[in-house]
Amino acid sequence: MTHRSNSASSFFGPAICAAPFLALSALTACSETQDEQPYASAVLAQDPIMARALNDPLMTDPDLASRNQSNAVIAFHDSHPLPPLGANEDAASRAREAARLELLSGGQVESLPLPIESSDAASLGKFTRADDIIKAVGSRDDCIESMNDGLLWSTQMPETSAVMPHGMVQQAAGADTERCVVRVVRYHTPVSVNDALEYHFTKATREGFVVEHINAPEAQLRGEWRDENLAVHGREGPRGLTEIDVIHWIR
């Protein structure tokens, strides 16, 4: 599937309510009856991967629907409330347990290796645009013009790089053409940075990725497998949450 957009450098696309796929989630601000969404139902019937993605506990922020989307490049504000996800131990326990059960269904949960230092490791917290993140991690900057933005990209991540259960997607962008396959997703989770990185480390190593754990300037994973690359960055987010960036691309 090829996606095009005139706002390739911005994460955010149209307001969430405009996306028929995301209307399926009870956690979004848009509520429709089954009769009002025949196209979305057809997608679920025909595409088991999309069905799994849309039925997993993948959250989106309903308050984003009220944002002014008129600018080509829009930065999100950390002070904006995120009512569906609370930073408390109960929410963290539920997310950890859901992640643990998912991982155990495929084998043993892997512990993070000891972190190493890297002279070329980047910090992504200051970036709010997909192009800046791609350049910072050494991804396919030649694909930036092919990218478009929209939360639907978060449901099209490879299994290796899927959003952690109970993660709430904040921003997503991607490209899927003959020349460029890139995904960039930022999400929030109530679990710790180490818990989130352990989840992504286990998923990646099971698929054959060779993964490094880097400790500075922020906690991150860097992995390679055949012609695929993966970067996962974690840091303290707003309101006591953890912020995770996942970048997956084919060289």
Side-chain angles (χ1 to χ4, degrees), residues 24 34-35 37-46:
L24 290 174
Q34 291 182 338
D35 292 337
Q37 44 185 343
Y39 178 61
S41 298
V43 170
L44 283 176
Q46 296 171 15

Side-chain angles (χ1 to χ4, degrees), residues 43-128:
V43 170
L44 283 176
Q46 296 171 15
D47 191 340
I49 295 176
M50 184 67 75
R52 177 188 179 280
L54 292 175
N55 283 289
D56 271 353
L58 179 69
M59 297 185 184
T60 53
D61 185 354
D63 281 358
L64 294 179
S66 65
R67 296 263 179 90
N68 181 352
Q69 305 292 329
S70 61
N71 298 319
V73 178
I74 301 175
F76 68 97
H77 302 284
D78 285 350
S79 61
H80 203 275
L82 301 173
L85 186 63
N88 56 64
E89 185 53 38
D90 184 53
S93 294
R94 289 197 303 270
R96 278 194 298 267
E97 182 65 10
R100 187 182 72 86
L101 291 175
E102 178 191 329
L103 294 176
L104 286 175
S105 68
Q108 183 178 351
V109 179
E110 299 290 340
S111 298
L112 283 174
L114 291 175
I116 62 173
E117 295 183 1
S118 175
S119 60
D120 61 348
S123 177
L124 305 182
K126 63 183 178 181
F127 298 126
T128 58

